[in-house]
Amino acid sequence: MTAALLEQYRERIRTELDRVVDFWLKYSHDKEHGGFFNCLGKDGKVYDELKYVWLQGRQVWMYSRLYRTVERFHRPEILDAAKSGAAFLQKFARVQASSGAGKCAFCLTRDGRAVKVQRTIFSECFYVMAMDELSRITQDKEMQADAESMMDRLIFWVQTDSSDLSRPQLPGDPPVNSMAVPMMLLCLVDQLTEGRTDVAEKYKDLSGWCVERILQHIQRDGKAILENVTLTGKELPGCQGRLQNPGHALEAGWFLLQYALKKEDVQLQKTAVDKFMEIPFHTGWDKQHGGLFYFLDVDGHCPTQLEWNMKLWWPHCEALIAYLMAYSHSRAPLLLDRFKLIYDYTFSHFSDEEHGEWFGYLSRQGEVVLDFKGGPFKGFFHVPRCLYMCEKHFAFHDQDVTKCKMFL
């Protein structure tokens, strides 16, 4: 792998990030009601006016993070858009309940009326990320407090009492440790505690709890990462227990690696790479057609998810982040080889050279199946976060073009 090739990757990633940002700046802003249109066709045209709260939060976070940390995105229109999205969320996201403030809606009409509430925590999670990141720019203490207040509610729902989620606990459906929950909370702790020692002290025990819960998903004598386990870390019966999600495991891998590097925990760093990157890569990579499967069954049965053998954009985004982060730390050539393989597949299949942004849903063979650029589950998040993080991992020595320095 030559320095010239690494420079080529860096330039392509930088250019692609610019194109993705421009796409959403051009097509997604609702100048009449505030917030963002999420449902955008391949050419950016709005095909549905529903606004999905978790995607609104993700877009506010992404705009704010780019504005705060990347000089070329320190532009008034990006900050104004983030403020518009945050104002829309603060005004409309919460659904009032008899017990108090209630949950955040899952989706809203264009003018902010609630359409649907999910019995999960993820709308609230991205509300927290949005408000905290924007408050770092605006120095709005009330907005920061709003983020922490929502975070505290999330922790209560997850660790103490989930009844406010309105999800009845049925006798045949025992509580489950779904990997998405501790992963998301670990991500939020990282977000909220950056540069804030008082907040870090407040949530110091939570991060350890999250890591412990994530590690419970290492199953089958360390040879598999399962998506769902019991609350005591045992394998569940049936399809639910056998489910594997390679993209989620890889995302958990870089979450864990990032945490372990900060803690200087060498064993956890190794676990993050060996278990949460290498295992899902080996089991999830389609050796016939390339790309990562969406779902798998650990025993080789056909998964019940209809889209199980499709190639989706976001697992490939998480894989790129994971392997570039891992390589930047260890410099192991194998990890860079993994990055190259995933990079070549991703940029040759998902990126739309004609209209910009990425397609999200491919067949197993790699053909575009759904050609929209934004929908209920795909917004301004996984693609720009991946490109942003990968770009930040590349830095080249000005005086020696034959060497490349990677940094976290």
Side-chain angles (χ1 to χ4, degrees), residues 295-315:
F295 292 110
L296 291 169
D297 183 295
V298 70
D299 287 336
H301 299 291
C302 179
T304 56
Q305 290 79 9
L306 299 182
E307 72 275 32
W308 74 269
N309 67 352
M310 290 178 67
K311 311 296 168 59
L312 271 66
W313 83 106
W314 71 263

Side-chain angles (χ1 to χ4, degrees), residues 230-368:
T230 70
L231 294 183
T232 57
K234 305 298 182 182
E235 186 172 334
L236 290 160
C239 296
Q240 182 186 31
R242 297 194 305 267
L243 183 66
Q244 295 176 295
N245 183 332
H248 243 174
L250 285 156
E251 186 177 17
W254 73 258
F255 283 11
L256 288 172
L257 181 57
Q258 185 171 255
Y259 174 84
L261 289 169
K262 291 179 179 179
K263 294 292 185 179
E264 299 182 344
D265 186 333
V266 176
Q267 183 56 50
L268 184 57
Q269 294 168 25
K270 187 176 188 306
T271 298
V273 175
D274 292 348
K275 301 302 183 182
F276 286 88
M277 296 183 196
E278 285 292 272
I279 288 175
F281 175 81
H282 281 293
T283 57
W285 189 260
D286 184 346
K287 296 175 179 60
Q288 182 177 356
H289 298 286
L292 290 163
F293 288 114
Y294 194 25
F295 292 110
L296 291 169
D297 183 295
V298 70
D299 287 336
H301 299 291
C302 179
T304 56
Q305 290 79 9
L306 299 182
E307 72 275 32
W308 74 269
N309 67 352
M310 290 178 67
K311 311 296 168 59
L312 271 66
W313 83 106
W314 71 263
H316 296 79
C317 291
E318 303 311 321
L320 288 171
I321 297 170
Y323 276 110
L324 190 55
M325 183 183 291
Y327 173 74
S328 71
H329 170 62
S330 73
R331 304 300 179 88
L334 175 65
L335 300 176
L336 191 55
D337 289 342
R338 297 272 194 262
F339 174 81
K340 180 181 183 300
L341 181 66
I342 298 160
Y343 174 98
D344 289 344
Y345 181 89
T346 300
F347 280 83
S348 63
H349 287 79
F350 290 103
S351 179
D352 182 1
E353 294 293 336
E354 181 179 1
H355 297 291
E357 241 282 349
W358 289 13
F359 298 111
Y361 302 85
L362 312 180
S363 68
R364 180 181 178 185
Q365 293 73 25
E367 300 296 324
V368 176

